[in-house]
Amino acid sequence: MIKSLTELIKYKDFFYLLIERDIKLKYRRSFLGYLWSILNPLLSMIVMTIVFSQMFKRNIDNFPVYLLTGNIMFTFMRESSTLAMGSVIRNSSLLKKISVPKYIFALSTVTSSLVNFLFSLGALFIVVIITSVKITFACIFIFIPIIEIYVFCIGLGLYLAQASVFFRDIRNIWSVITLAWMYLTPIFYPLDLLSETLQYWIQRVNPMYIYITQFRDLVLFGKLSSLSLIIRGLFFALLMLFIGIWRFKRNEDRFILYI
């Protein structure tokens, strides 16, 4: 990891260039451009609120904010992991021509997705103001779940990036996994709607539940999550980062044979 950080500092200008490229490509030829980072979560929230609010309105206070806090966090994970998965293959021509750390492509896609996520916080702020959610001092700790999920997504992105080089079908498999993952995460429904057994396992083995709950506690309820929840979130983030780096470094020398 120390060697990787040293390489990243050496290639920081190239890293920034990749992030800028990814962001520009996403909004290329778009009339509203970066405004879509705010409009997309807002429009999704409006549609999902109309669909689900009647179903869960008695169980959830301030459903729009509850929904949006979960949706933008999960969207960041899904978008960053999906883009990182194809990052090595998409940049195969560069890898064959210049000598750069191969992980930098996955890292840049996750970071560009983080920038889009930060833009989408503007949509959340608008909804918070409209729905009269009290903004408390606890909101300054919003960086904790954001950093945790960012580190988690880096590890996940690195793992998927190296796996997709050898198994191209993983993209189709991953779309099914993320769909199931979304329904097993309380984004638009309350956790107590599920059986006690399912609640138990979701709370303990679903990292997205941990990050979304921390985020909601700060934004919606104006409080810092329990220390145990923060530690569990950090544990999953570091574990995924270790697995991602380990698998990527182990297989990166063979990429040239498959891309």
Side-chain angles (χ1 to χ4, degrees):
M1 289 183 66
I2 295 174
K3 180 181 177 182
S4 298
L5 288 173
T6 304
E7 287 178 337
L8 183 60
I9 294 172
K10 180 181 178 181
Y11 292 96
K12 64 181 185 302
D13 293 332
F14 183 64
F15 176 63
Y16 296 147
L17 186 64
L18 289 174
I19 296 173
E20 183 180 357
R21 182 199 65 177
D22 290 339
I23 294 173
K24 286 182 176 179
L25 282 175
K26 181 174 181 178
Y27 299 105
R28 185 176 59 180
R29 297 178 183 177
S30 172
F31 180 73
L32 294 177
Y34 299 113
L35 282 177
W36 279 116
S37 294
I38 297 176
L39 289 176
N40 267 337
L42 275 178
L43 295 174
S44 297
M45 182 214 67
I46 291 171
V47 172
M48 295 180 75
T49 298
I50 293 172
V51 173
F52 295 112
S53 62
Q54 295 301 313
M55 191 180 304
F56 303 120
K57 67 180 180 180
R58 296 179 182 178
N59 305 82
I60 300 174
D61 294 328
N62 203 332
F63 185 76
V65 176
Y66 181 92
L67 172 63
L68 192 55
T69 48
N71 191 42
I72 63 175
M73 290 286 277
F74 195 87
T75 298
F76 166 58
M77 184 280 296
R78 181 172 53 197
E79 177 187 279
S80 62
S81 60
T82 302
L83 291 174
M85 181 166 43
S87 59
V88 173
I89 297 171
R90 285 196 308 272
N91 293 282
S92 58
S93 58
L94 279 175
L95 286 172
K96 293 175 181 178
K97 294 176 182 177
I98 59 176
S99 176
V100 293
K102 298 178 180 65
Y103 68 84
I104 202 169
F105 298 106
L107 181 59
S108 66
T109 54
V110 174
T111 306
S112 64
S113 294
L114 176 67
V115 174
N116 292 327
F117 168 76
L118 295 177
F119 283 147
S120 69
L121 291 181
L124 179 60
F125 180 73
I126 292 172
V127 176
V128 163
I129 296 299
I130 292 175
T131 56
S132 301
V133 173
K134 185 178 179 181
I135 300 175
T136 67
F137 179 77
C139 286
I140 66 172
F141 295 103
I142 200 174
F143 67 90
I144 295 176
I146 291 176
I147 291 175
E148 286 184 348
I149 194 174
Y150 175 60
V151 173
F152 176 82
C153 289
I154 290 174
L156 182 60
L158 287 171
Y159 182 86
L160 291 172
Q162 61 84 28
S164 66
V165 173
F166 308 110
F167 308 103
R168 302 299 171 91
D169 290 341
I170 197 170
R171 177 175 294 273
N172 297 322
I173 298 172
W174 185 242
S175 64
V176 176
I177 292 175
T178 52
L179 181 63
W181 198 349
M182 182 183 71
Y183 286 116
L184 288 172
T185 305
I187 296 173
F188 52 84
Y189 62 84
L191 183 64
D192 57 17
L193 194 69
L194 304 175
S195 67
E196 291 185 3
T197 302
L198 201 53
Q199 287 183 48
Y200 176 85
W201 287 109
I202 287 177
Q203 289 175 328
R204 280 156 181 77
V205 302
N206 185 348
M208 288 309 300
Y209 165 81
I210 296 173
Y211 303 136
I212 289 173
T213 300
Q214 289 187 56
F215 193 58
R216 279 188 181 136
D217 284 344
L218 292 166
V219 176
L220 184 56
F221 304 113
K223 65 177 183 179
L224 192 64
S225 298
S226 65
L227 183 61
S228 63
L229 195 69
I230 295 173
I231 291 174
R232 271 189 286 153
L234 183 60
F235 168 76
F236 277 111
L238 294 178
L239 177 64
M240 192 69 251
L241 181 64
F242 172 78
I243 293 173
I245 292 176
W246 170 59
R247 293 301 300 176
F248 195 93
K249 287 294 184 181
R250 183 174 182 177
N251 293 319
E252 65 177 348
D253 292 336
R254 297 193 292 142
F255 289 173
I256 197 67
L257 302 174
Y258 292 86
I259 58 178

